[in-house]
Amino acid sequence: MNQAGQRDGSAGEAGDTSAQAHPAADARPRTGAARVPPQQGAADADREREGGRQDTPRDAAARSDSARGEHTHSEIPIPSPRAAAPRPVVQRSSVRGQILDALRVALMGGELAPGEVYSAPVLGERFGVSATPVREAMQQLAVEGAVEVVPNRGFRVVERGARELAELAEIRVLLEAPVMQRLARSVPAERWAELRPLAEATARAASTGCRATYVESDRAFHRAVLALSGNEQLVRIADDLHRRAQWPLITGPGSRAALTANAAEHTALLDALIGKDLATAQALVRDHFACT
């Protein structure tokens, strides 16, 4: 019995050693064990639903994305960084802005003559761009009252007569003079003094004799004055009126002496506002708008 037990034990140890030496043997299917049928893959299911149609590269990519958890058919795909990059429309808008500025300079300098008709293609050749940004810029100028649309021809530069200028000056006085009076009572002297650099900038611009340079600095000064009221709508409307009054006259751009005299009124206006001299400030505003 002892010898038989030892033989059985030795056989058991030999079997354990054999199992450890060949672990793959345990993984082999045994007789009578239940077999798991092969599972149907996603591609097989798709082929069954589609009647055996072969996958296209797009179908395979869609299943691959779904398997990775990137998105499903019920979700909106997240745009890639390349899709969020600036598009040509942004560049076209930038070109439009540059053309708009160039056209304003040409208008104020008298290069685009009042009463004349200009087409977008011809102006596009002048600026080295297509007709589209020129047309968009001219449409903006039409909104501002600088040009008017002539069907099938282009845009006519508006002529400014003495009556129209007088009407614009009257509107500006009615709009801005009461604001100036209120600001003269409430704004401290040091705040007015902060605007002197802008007044000096208009004097330097006037000394160049370039009307286009001067009108930009002139509008900047008036915007800064009205901005002290805190009324953004007032600033916007007054600036639009100011721009309309500065388009070229039928008599041509102002002389250097006229621009210099106009710029000097800015300094005089600041002096009156700092000294709270309401009567002088109101008179300066009225006279200044009449000749701006």
Side-chain angles (χ1 to χ4, degrees), residues 139-162:
Q139 289 171 349
Q140 176 60 35
L141 292 176
V143 172
E144 298 175 0
V147 300
E148 57 186 9
V149 179
V150 180
N152 301 323
R153 292 186 59 193
F155 302 85
R156 177 184 290 112
V157 179
V158 174
E159 296 180 338
R160 299 293 190 195

Side-chain angles (χ1 to χ4, degrees), residues 42 57-71:
R58 183 175 181 179
D59 296 333
R63 279 195 301 276
S64 177
D65 291 344
S66 178
R68 291 196 301 267
E70 293 181 0
H71 68 272

Side-chain angles (χ1 to χ4, degrees), residues 44-65:
D44 298 328
D46 287 347
R47 280 194 292 269
E48 285 186 7
R49 286 194 299 268
E50 298 174 7
R53 181 178 62 86
Q54 294 297 322
D55 285 345
T56 65
R58 183 175 181 179
D59 296 333
R63 279 195 301 276
S64 177
D65 291 344

